[in-house]
Amino acid sequence: MSVSRRSFLAQAGAAAFSAETLATHALAAEDVSAVDQERMRSVAAFTAETLSTDHPVPFGADIVNTSTGERLMRAVNRVGPDHDPSAHAETLTIRLACAKLGSVSLKGYTLYTTCEPCAMCMACALWSGLDRLVFGATIADASRFVSQITIPAKEVAQRTDLHCVVAGPVEREVCVKLFTDPRMQKAFAMWKKR
């Protein structure tokens, strides 16, 4: 049986796409639990508290012990107040957690974040050795409101030999509401004027 090069490449591409798509869906379904949903709602509620402050943000993060669920650290984005472009919720939470532990390793911990991490934050999560990263809103959701580096977190994780399970979106609608809240929309308008 003769197979043309074009036919072979089309079949190989379809097989690779199907395998990757199935793996992604299997990962999300297999690794997301009711506990993950509860924790995401909790970090979203914590983040929503900023909407009534002078520095509202839709980005918040929690780091919890993967085995026990005990919270180690929690923070929100502080780019504006700290005048620090790297003070994203994920990187800040990782920095504070590592300082609290006196270690550069967060092996044994899971990061919950209201939005899929940008490439910088995902790289920080990988370097810190987190077991898992669970996100709420997608990076595409966030890019509707603020400038983003729109490389999916799972893609960043796949391009390294460092290991971290990436699961999400979890409670996406709850987390997207942080972006669409009228107080946040007003803040976004102010950010664009800067």
Side-chain angles (χ1 to χ4, degrees), residues 15-181:
F17 175 78
S18 296
E20 181 178 345
T21 302
L22 289 173
T24 300
H25 290 298
L27 176 69
E30 178 182 310
D31 291 333
V32 173
S33 67
V35 171
D36 290 329
Q37 293 170 324
E38 180 182 318
R39 288 183 182 145
M40 188 61 68
R41 287 189 301 270
S42 174
V43 73
F46 166 73
T47 306
E49 292 174 13
T50 71
L51 299 175
S52 299
T53 70
D54 292 339
H55 299 286
V57 292
F59 306 102
D62 270 351
I63 293 178
V64 303
N65 184 294
T66 302
S67 299
T68 67
E70 181 182 348
R71 182 181 302 121
L72 175 64
M73 191 56 57
R74 173 180 261 190
V76 295
N77 181 300
R78 293 203 37 92
V79 169
D82 292 355
H83 308 289
D84 178 356
S86 70
H88 292 195
E90 301 91 342
T91 57
L92 185 58
T93 306
I94 290 167
R95 282 184 208 141
L96 294 168
C98 287
K100 184 173 183 176
L101 292 174
S103 173
V104 297
S105 175
L106 291 174
K107 184 170 176 44
Y109 290 89
T110 296
L111 174 68
Y112 290 88
T113 179
T114 59
C115 186
E116 183 175 5
C118 70
M120 174 185 72
C121 293
M122 189 60 215
C124 188
L126 289 162
W127 281 113
S128 71
L130 286 160
D131 296 341
R132 298 175 67 228
L133 184 143
V134 182
F135 66 87
T138 68
I139 200 127
D141 294 329
S143 70
R144 292 177 20 221
F145 305 101
V146 293
S147 296
Q148 288 288 325
I149 298 171
T150 57
I151 302 168
K154 290 176 184 175
E155 184 177 332
V156 175
Q158 290 169 351
R159 292 176 173 246
T160 180
D161 60 349
L162 301 169
H163 179 71
C164 179
V165 173
V166 179
V170 173
E171 295 294 336
R172 181 179 182 181
E173 297 80 19
V174 171
C175 294
V176 168
K177 285 181 183 176
L178 294 167
F179 290 87
T180 60
D181 184 283

